[in-house]
Each structure stands twice: as C-alpha cells, then as structure tokens.
C-alpha cells in the first residue's frame, strides 16, 4: 500500500532543487517524489498530500516546450483534484510570459518595468523610450541582450524574432 507522499516538480540537476527536496523530506518525514522535464515520470496511482512546483521558465529552452507542458498538465490535474500546490499553474503561466507579468502588475497598480511587443512599437500601437533592451518572450534567463537605440532598428530584426520578443526600457 502507498502511504502519503509529496510531489516535487523541478530539476534534479539544479542545486537548489536537490537541497529543497532534502529539506522538505526532513521537515515532513514524507517521501518526496521528483517529477521533472525530460524524466520518465511515474503515473499517479494515489494523489499526493502536497505538490511543490519549482519549474523554471528556462526549463522550456533546456527540455523543450512539450516536456514542460506535460508537467503543467500534471500540476493542473492536481489543482483540479484540490491538492495543495505551492506555486500554482497560474503563477507559472505568468512567470513564462513577460507580457502577462506586466499586465498582472499594472492591473494591480504595482510597479513593474514596462514591457512592449516589438511589432506594436514598430507599428505605432505602443510607445517606448529608446534606448531599450530586446528580450525573448517567454521570459527566462538571457545570456545576451541586444540594445536597440532607435525605433528604425526594429524593422531590421527578423520577423520571427520580432514576433517572439519584447522590449523593455
């Protein structure tokens, strides 16, 4: 018979995830089962007592969108079953999209750096002060950032990059 356990969704190669897995196990005295992108995850035969979502936005670029989507489906299923979840799928959804972050904070009148879609600025639907920084969307770790010093340079950016990027002052 399977007893109580906790599901931890994260990456086993990440130091902070390995550390947190040990701490959760030590403090709860329950087995902690790691689900991660790129891993062969077991089928849930019994619902956990708690789920911890520690997915990073950068997992998409490391493990592929499909692998991460599978984990989000599992987390969504757990939420629907009313399993307590630390860092909801809505939280993760906001984390993966700079536009959603900006809207979320703006709607709550909280300070957050402006985020503008490249094509919206290029077509005059949004304005932004130059120079500004070109960033990928979904958000995540950026190894290099391109500085755009004037609006005219936006048209030189390839269309696929414009479609998947945002500007921030």
């Amino acid at each position: 018979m399977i007893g109580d356990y906790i599901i931890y969704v994260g990456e086993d190669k990440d130091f902070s995830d390995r550390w947190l897995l040990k701490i959760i196990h030590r403090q709860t005295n329950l087995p902690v089962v790691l689900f991660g992108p790129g891993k062969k995850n077991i089928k849930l035969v019994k619902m956990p007592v708690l789920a911890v979502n520690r997915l990073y936005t950068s997992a998409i670029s490391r493990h592929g969108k499909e692998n991460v989507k599978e984990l989000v489906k599992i987390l969504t299923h757990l939420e629907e079953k009313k399993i307590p979840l630390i860092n909801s799928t809505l939280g993760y959804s906001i984390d993966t999209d700079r536009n959603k972050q900006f809207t979320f904070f703006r709607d709550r009148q909280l300070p957050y750096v402006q985020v503008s879609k490249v094509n919206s600025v290029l077509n005059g639907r949004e304005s932004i002060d130059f120079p500004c920084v070109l960033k990928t969307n979904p958000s995540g770790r950026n190894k290099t950032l391109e500085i755009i010093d004037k609006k005219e340079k936006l048209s030189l950016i390839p269309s696929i990059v414009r479609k998947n990027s945002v500007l921030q002052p």
Side-chain angles (χ1 to χ4, degrees), residues 101-160:
Q101 292 169 14
F102 179 60
T103 302
F104 177 87
F105 286 104
R106 184 196 60 210
D107 290 352
R108 287 156 181 80
Q109 299 178 344
L110 298 168
Y112 191 78
V113 67
Q114 177 185 349
V115 177
S116 297
K117 295 177 182 177
V118 177
N119 285 331
S120 292
V121 172
L122 187 61
N123 297 327
R125 291 189 305 271
E126 290 184 68
S127 64
I128 194 167
D129 291 332
F130 290 89
C132 58
V133 178
L134 180 70
K135 292 184 174 182
T136 58
N137 193 36
S139 65
R141 296 180 181 124
N142 293 295
K143 291 184 171 58
T144 59
L145 295 173
E146 185 175 349
I147 308 282
I148 307 295
D149 58 358
K150 53 187 167 185
K151 184 177 179 177
E152 294 74 30
K153 287 195 175 178
L154 296 177
S155 61
L156 303 175
I157 300 169
S159 62
I160 190 71

